[in-house]
Amino acid sequence: MNLSRRTLLKAGLAGLAASAVAGCNNGAADRPAGEISYWLWDSAQLPMYAECAKLFQQQNPQYSVKIEQNGWADYWNKLVTGFISGTAPDVFTSHSSKYPLFADKDQVLAIDDFVAQDNVDLGIYQKGLADRWIGADGKRYGLPKDWDTEAYFYNSALAEAAGISTEQLNSMTWNPQDGGTFEQIVARLTVDSKGRRGDQSGFDKDNVKVYGLGFGDAGGADGQTSWSWYAATNGWKYSEGEPWGTKFFYDDPKFAETIGWWRGLITKGYMPTLAQAKSGIDSSATAAFGAGKYAITPNGSWMLGTYGQLKQVKTKLARLPQGPNGKRMSMMNGLADSIWAGTTRKEASWAWVKFLGSQQAQDIVARAGVVFPAVTASMPAAKASFAKAGWDVTPFLEPVEAGDVFAFPANPNAADVSAVMTPAMESVMGFQSDLGSLSKANDDVNQILAANS
């Protein structure tokens, strides 16, 4: 999602009064009795949720589900428009970075009473996921549907050509001083136009054919798939009051140290410039990886299906590196299904949300082999599905099993925080600003939080 869309989303909700939804029925009068409208953004998940809807309707013939899928960017703009106009869906897939604002503007329904009346067992979910959907007001705004972490996708043929083993890749260490064995491997995997590697004499950093490490953007406020694990293992945290940030720490020397090292990989020629990463090399980091221009790209587990379609390269997974704190850490995030506060079909909507959060539905999700299901008992089926597709997903699972995970930063002002940090990080990674500029950006962020507290 780009900056203008974030700003529009925030602005669209800013003046929305809670009473605006009171008289809206999102077209309920024009729809069949018992029909539940449901929105999601991931086209890869559409088939499995269509299967869930079919089973739900068989078990609950008084209800039907109409599913609509929109791409990520359009999804949020359309959802906010729906809140304002009273045409939002009864139930929608929500993100942990988005729902705090929606809850703050009274656009999502607290489901605590429903959970209590039906004795929903919240212990069936992966540890920490259910609590992620308890807002700053102490109310619950969704039931978990899946979760994700990060790992490295690497081109095994390029690794073999460089003489780098699977064992080496899975035992990498990192530090902000010299980059550890991780930087050594990235240097080895980098190849210039004359075939010289980044760790060899004569390497030409200005004419690189294959970059050892690829990336998609500067990371914005969260750095989920770019720098988050480096910063976390270097002893940095996003904010006071994690995950509900009340004061952010982008001015922490540990953060500047981390970003300074990461940016240094561009200077050394091991990583492309920001301009190349965003457009010059290819349309995306994944596409560039598929074209053999990147040896390693970090990404989230939700991208397994996309990487699996890159038939021109043989892709494997590697662990994130062990950092200065002695751990391998990953951001752990997850999605949930939430109910629009303006729906006139609350009972029907809750029935659908409860079903989607059940093991029965999440077994369907698991067998699809697209994402990791939130229900712990459904995970063996997911592992089997991914293994059948050729993936050893252990690097994604280990941080969770070890408890070495941290949450996606949450705040009702997340759009405003991103509006500050996205250009700030791009300026730093584009070498237009020095690392000291992050302190000014942090001051701006904390002023926003103070003004809205």
Side-chain angles (χ1 to χ4, degrees), residues 139-204:
K139 297 178 181 178
R140 185 177 302 279
Y141 291 101
L143 288 184
K145 61 195 286 112
D146 57 40
W147 60 271
D148 54 71
T149 51
E150 286 70 48
Y152 289 124
F153 291 81
Y154 73 92
N155 184 319
S156 63
L158 294 181
E160 289 171 11
I164 297 170
S165 68
T166 299
E167 290 72 25
Q168 287 175 297
L169 285 160
N170 279 314
S171 59
M172 294 183 293
T173 60
W174 170 83
N175 68 73
Q177 284 74 46
D178 61 17
T181 62
F182 172 72
E183 184 171 326
Q184 292 172 18
I185 286 174
V186 168
R188 182 68 183 169
L189 289 170
T190 303
V191 184
D192 70 15
S193 59
K194 293 186 177 180
R196 294 168 298 202
R197 298 189 176 277
D199 61 353
Q200 293 179 330
S201 176
F203 169 70
D204 184 358

Side-chain angles (χ1 to χ4, degrees), residues 357-403:
S358 70
Q359 183 179 345
Q360 192 173 31
Q362 300 221 351
D363 280 347
I364 294 174
V365 172
R367 290 194 297 270
V370 177
V371 293
F372 298 136
V375 173
T376 306
S378 298
M379 275 302 297
K383 291 180 185 178
S385 296
F386 283 116
K388 186 176 180 180
W391 294 113
D392 176 3
V393 294
T394 302
F396 287 117
L397 307 182
E398 285 181 335
V400 179
E401 293 166 354

Side-chain angles (χ1 to χ4, degrees), residues 227-278:
W227 47 256
S228 63
W229 55 93
Y230 305 123
T233 58
N234 196 31
W236 179 78
K237 65 177 184 177
Y238 291 90
S239 65
E240 188 174 292
E242 286 185 317
W244 293 95
T246 54
K247 177 183 178 183
F248 279 82
F249 300 128
Y250 298 111
D251 61 345
D252 187 328
K254 289 287 186 182
F255 183 65
E257 181 181 50
T258 300
I259 300 303
W261 165 80
W262 187 50
R263 186 174 74 165
L265 296 180
I266 297 175
T267 306
K268 295 172 182 176
Y270 305 157
M271 197 164 75
T273 65
L274 178 62
Q276 287 176 311
K278 292 179 68 176

Side-chain angles (χ1 to χ4, degrees), residues 243-450:
W244 293 95
T246 54
K247 177 183 178 183
F248 279 82
F249 300 128
Y250 298 111
D251 61 345
D252 187 328
K254 289 287 186 182
F255 183 65
E257 181 181 50
T258 300
I259 300 303
W261 165 80
W262 187 50
R263 186 174 74 165
L265 296 180
I266 297 175
T267 306
K268 295 172 182 176
Y270 305 157
M271 197 164 75
T273 65
L274 178 62
Q276 287 176 311
K278 292 179 68 176
S279 61
I281 283 187
D282 216 315
S283 58
S284 70
T286 310
F289 176 86
K293 297 174 182 178
Y294 293 159
I296 296 175
T297 51
N299 225 315
S301 53
W302 64 88
M303 291 293 289
L304 283 161
T306 301
Y307 277 86
Q309 293 171 3
L310 303 175
K311 303 302 182 183
Q312 62 271 46
V313 296
K314 185 177 181 181
T315 309
K316 291 185 178 181
L317 297 171
R319 294 166 169 164
L320 297 177
Q322 178 180 307
N325 68 353
K327 298 180 180 180
R328 303 178 189 279
M329 299 185 71
S330 175
M331 179 183 288
M332 183 181 183
N333 193 36
L335 307 181
D337 290 304
S338 296
I339 301 173
W340 178 44
T343 181
T344 58
R345 301 183 175 190
K346 290 184 172 64
E347 293 290 341
S349 297
W350 164 245
W352 174 233
V353 167
K354 184 173 69 169
F355 177 78
L356 289 175
S358 70
Q359 183 179 345
Q360 192 173 31
Q362 300 221 351
D363 280 347
I364 294 174
V365 172
R367 290 194 297 270
V370 177
V371 293
F372 298 136
V375 173
T376 306
S378 298
M379 275 302 297
K383 291 180 185 178
S385 296
F386 283 116
K388 186 176 180 180
W391 294 113
D392 176 3
V393 294
T394 302
F396 287 117
L397 307 182
E398 285 181 335
V400 179
E401 293 166 354
D404 293 331
V405 292
F406 52 96
F408 197 110
N411 192 281
N413 301 291
D416 286 335
V417 173
S418 293
V420 171
M421 291 308 301
T422 296
M425 288 299 301
E426 289 187 345
S427 185
V428 168
M429 290 303 292
F431 292 88
Q432 296 166 326
S433 300
D434 59 28
L435 295 167
S437 65
L438 295 172
S439 292
K440 172 60 169 61
N442 190 68
D443 289 342
D444 292 342
V445 165
N446 287 331
Q447 285 177 17
I448 290 170
L449 267 59

Side-chain angles (χ1 to χ4, degrees), residues 54-74:
K54 183 178 179 181
L55 181 58
F56 172 75
Q57 289 163 186
Q58 290 173 352
Q59 297 177 359
N60 302 273
Q62 72 274 34
Y63 300 134
S64 63
V65 180
K66 183 177 181 180
I67 302 176
E68 180 176 328
Q69 181 263 327
N70 292 281
W72 171 267
D74 292 335

